[in-house]
Amino acid sequence: MENALIYRLAEGSLEAGRPLEALELLAPLVDELRDTAAGALLLGRAYYRSAQLRRAEETLARAVELAPSDPYARYLLGRTLQRQSRHADALPHLRLAAAQDPAYAGDRDACAARIAS
């Protein structure tokens, strides 16, 4: 199967709430996916949505490294850290994401409030 088709099928699986199915589709391409920002983000989303938070963190950190100005990659890395109760680590990523896209301001503020309490 062509890689572009696999990516589309994996994206569809994620949108349908089937992250494990997406990961199964992406398994043969993991090394290749980690070499591009879009690929790392797709893989990171699948890990995040399947609650594989350590893998999500590692993969999303790679996505941020490859595309530091991508607000969604940064946001999802921050949310991954939050889900691990690492609020202080999450806040800088959520701040940068919110600075680039105000839609993420609520999560930034909630994380900051959690640290302050």
Side-chain angles (χ1 to χ4, degrees), residues 2-26:
E2 185 180 320
N3 289 356
L5 177 59
I6 293 171
Y7 300 157
R8 284 194 296 273
L9 290 171
E11 183 72 40
S13 293
L14 281 174
E15 289 175 11
R18 298 187 307 267
L20 294 176
E21 182 178 297
L23 286 170
E24 186 176 314
L25 288 165
L26 297 173

Side-chain angles (χ1 to χ4, degrees), residues 17-95:
R18 298 187 307 267
L20 294 176
E21 182 178 297
L23 286 170
E24 186 176 314
L25 288 165
L26 297 173
L29 305 171
V30 167
D31 292 334
E32 177 183 320
L33 288 166
R34 290 185 179 165
D35 289 338
T36 66
L41 182 57
L42 176 61
L43 186 59
R45 287 175 50 216
Y47 286 139
Y48 176 82
R49 291 189 180 165
S50 65
Q52 296 180 47
L53 300 179
R54 292 285 181 199
R55 287 182 176 172
E57 178 187 349
E58 176 185 300
T59 306
L60 293 166
R62 176 72 176 145
V64 166
E65 177 184 321
L66 293 168
S69 62
D70 182 334
Y72 184 67
R74 224 174 253 284
Y75 168 76
L76 199 54
L77 176 56
R79 290 289 295 132
T80 299
L81 294 165
Q82 267 189 309
R83 284 182 67 185
Q84 296 176 71
S85 296
R86 294 171 51 200
H87 304 287
D89 294 332
L91 188 56
H93 295 289
L94 295 173
R95 282 184 175 150

